[in-house]
Amino acid sequence: MTLRIAVLPGDGIGPEIVSQALRVLDRIAQRYQVHFEYREALVGGSAYDATGHPLPPQTLEICHRSDAVLFGAVGGPKWDTLPPSLRPEAGALLPLRKALGLYANLRPALLFPALAGASPLRAEVLGEGLDILVVRELTGGIYFGQPKERRDDGRTAVDTCIYTEPEVERIAHVAFRAAKARHKKVASVDKANVLETSRLWREVVSRVAQDYPDVELQHVLVDNAAMQLIRNPRQFDVILTENMFGDILSDEAAMLTGSLGMLPSASLGEGTFGLYEPVHGSAPDIAGQGVANPLATILSAAMMLRYSFGMGEAAQRIEQAVDAALREGYRTADIWQEGCRKVGTIEMTDAVLRYL
Ligand code: IPM
Ligand code: MG
């Protein structure tokens, strides 16, 4: 079986971490007798430098013709002064999500027991650990609504938050299906006391919930959700929310696990196609030094196996190997603690491969 993977390393540490995830995928390919065909393409600032656009048409074409996309990271100070439509984030990542129809963003915030000490929360609050799945709507809301513009000679600015019923419905189904396979709880986060889009959101989510009688639904206002995540994060199983709230709450949930450098994500649409990327950014300050943490990208590759290729067992093996490497004390600089062994990007991957 041949599976086509579009490989978009991007900027900053992107190329270093993506190459390590490919080593792990190569090992899986051997073990499971599948063939991964990698097609590399330019994205972000490096694509802008080479072609004048952060998302060249060839890149989109390669993604469209692939079974999944492995994405590194984009952005850096060098491109921050470009107009928004040419910036790596707004000019590449957002249009890529939209063009590929990736409306469902899954961001698991999972605490690896070996890293519990790195969480900013006290052990009593963390208890047995954390396992939250943020399901974020990714192609609607205030990120994409029109008009989005300057008025009055630039002295007034407008963004538009807009949601349609079908947009809310499909993301709600993703969350309920995920919850069914987990701890059967969905917390739907909105701002229904103020926003009309949130009132629609709440109505539609409540209706979808009727299709999942074994899943418990709770509506939480976003400010309260931000507070509850710190006060008692273990009450959450699946957090379902719109685009911008999901952006904010997923960073908060990620930080509770102690390291943004550890967390993977999947962006899915209809069917099995998906884009997989680490939640962290391009970290230009440490790019090219061989010290970046490759684990979030390796875990993103595991999510690709699970969600796009139906290889749940292989995915689990990777996750267990990461856990084992951490238990043995291997740490990149971002998660290093006294008494642990500090290693670089390649050695960290070597450790994961040893336990795979
Ligand atoms: C994320 C990022 C992006 C977002 C930025 C880079 C546009 O913060 O993936 O969470 O806001 O979606
Ligand atoms: Mg973000």
Side-chain angles (χ1 to χ4, degrees):
M1 187 175 47
T2 295
L3 294 160
R4 291 160 304 179
I5 303 177
V7 177
L8 276 52
D11 308 319
I13 59 172
E16 305 162 54
I17 54 181
V18 164
S19 65
Q20 298 309 303
L22 295 185
R23 292 177 65 203
V24 174
L25 285 174
D26 284 340
R27 179 69 63 85
I28 293 292
Q30 277 169 21
R31 292 285 163 83
Y32 288 82
Q33 272 133 41
V34 291
H35 178 239
F36 296 131
E37 188 184 310
Y38 305 128
R39 300 149 161 209
E40 197 166 314
L42 289 168
V43 74
S46 46
Y48 172 80
D49 289 347
T51 70
H53 199 278
L55 182 61
Q58 311 88 280
T59 297
L60 203 50
E61 181 69 21
I62 290 178
C63 293
H64 275 303
R65 288 166 183 235
S66 299
D67 298 303
V69 181
L70 184 64
F71 190 97
V74 292
K78 188 174 166 199
W79 305 286
D80 277 349
T81 50
L82 288 170
S85 66
L86 293 177
R87 262 184 237 167
E89 297 87 350
L93 193 52
L94 301 185
L96 191 60
R97 290 171 178 169
K98 194 75 171 177
L100 298 173
L102 304 171
Y103 65 84
N105 185 217
L106 310 188
R107 297 188 166 180
L110 183 73
L111 181 80
F112 286 87
L115 297 181
S119 171
L121 293 184
R122 288 195 312 274
E124 309 93 272
V125 180
L126 277 179
E128 295 293 290
L130 269 189
D131 180 3
I132 298 172
L133 178 66
V134 178
V135 176
R136 169 189 177 194
E137 201 292 324
L138 202 58
T139 51
I142 201 165
Y143 273 55
F144 292 96
Q146 292 295 338
K148 181 187 264 312
E149 66 194 16
R150 288 295 178 100
R151 291 178 187 165
D152 305 338
D153 292 331
R155 292 181 309 131
T156 302
V158 184
D159 289 290
T160 306
C161 186
I162 177 161
Y163 269 109
T164 64
E165 214 172 85
E167 283 177 317
V168 182
E169 224 165 65
R170 62 186 186 178
I171 190 72
H173 280 292
V174 172
F176 281 101
R177 280 198 300 268
K180 238 174 118 98
R182 294 169 45 97
H183 298 105
K184 302 191 168 52
K185 279 177 20 179
V186 169
S188 174
V189 174
D190 62 36
K191 187 73 183 172
N193 51 350
V194 178
L195 302 177
E196 205 51 52
T197 42
S198 281
R199 285 191 277 271
L200 174 71
W201 181 277
R202 202 174 267 222
E203 262 167 52
V204 175
V205 171
S206 300
R207 199 164 62 226
V208 170
Q210 293 169 6
D211 295 350
Y212 303 86
D214 51 335
V215 177
E216 179 194 320
L217 168 66
Q218 191 195 2
H219 298 284
V220 190
L221 294 172
V222 63
D223 48 351
N224 185 28
M227 186 266 279
Q228 295 295 339
L229 265 173
I230 306 282
R231 194 185 69 90
N232 175 19
R234 285 190 304 141
Q235 70 185 287
F236 294 111
D237 176 22
V238 173
I239 293 180
L240 161 64
T241 191
E242 61 97 67
N243 205 343
M244 187 160 74
F245 297 159
D247 177 43
I248 299 167
L249 293 180
S250 63
D251 267 24
E252 188 186 0
M255 189 59 220
L256 299 180
T257 69
S259 173
L260 201 55
M262 290 294 302
L263 298 181
S265 76
S267 302
L268 309 170
E270 301 302 341
T272 57
F273 180 85
L275 179 147
Y276 300 84
E277 60 172 318
V279 168
H280 62 70
S282 59
D285 52 320
I286 57 162
Q289 298 172 20
V291 299
N293 185 347
L295 295 178
T297 315
I298 291 172
L299 291 167
S300 298
M303 289 186 90
M304 174 187 292
L305 296 175
R306 175 175 295 121
Y307 292 106
S308 284
F309 302 157
M311 297 173 67
E313 186 203 285
Q316 205 176 357
R317 287 217 187 172
I318 294 175
E319 288 155 0
Q320 284 164 352
V322 166
D323 188 50
L326 292 171
R327 282 179 202 275
E328 289 307 310
Y330 293 95
R331 299 283 190 279
T332 42
D334 58 313
I335 50 174
W336 182 81
Q337 293 160 286
E338 205 61 51
C340 292
R341 178 146 162 214
K342 197 186 276 182
V343 293
T345 313
I346 293 173
E347 297 98 299
M348 190 65 176
T349 311
D350 292 341
V352 173
L353 288 172
R354 265 200 302 284
Y355 296 104
L356 194 64

